[in-house]
Amino acid sequence: MRQNGRIGIRVTENSASIALHEACGFRVIGYREKIGVMNGVWRDILLLERRSAVVGT
């Protein structure tokens, strides 16, 4: 069974990862500001999703 995929990426540190996921068919569906603290710094995440052409047909 195929499912839609979702992923969260820390925005500021992973521009290469974002480009890679977009090249693989993921699209941006959201942005969360200051979602958590790591090493004393608030972190943001970008939410990505890849929709399956098979699911829901």
Side-chain angles (χ1 to χ4, degrees):
M1 179 165 105
R2 295 190 59 168
Q3 297 181 4
N4 292 330
R6 291 194 176 93
I7 189 167
I9 298 176
R10 286 194 317 214
V11 174
T12 55
E13 294 89 2
N14 287 311
S15 58
S17 181
I18 294 166
L20 174 66
H21 282 85
E22 287 177 338
C24 291
F26 283 80
R27 64 188 180 100
V28 176
I29 61 168
Y31 176 80
R32 301 286 309 269
E33 287 187 60
K34 298 181 181 176
I35 198 72
V37 177
M38 188 169 98
N39 298 326
V41 177
W42 281 98
R43 305 294 179 167
D44 304 336
I45 63 168
L46 191 64
L47 301 171
L48 304 173
E49 174 183 68
R50 184 182 59 83
R51 303 299 302 252
S52 170
V54 178
V55 173
T57 59

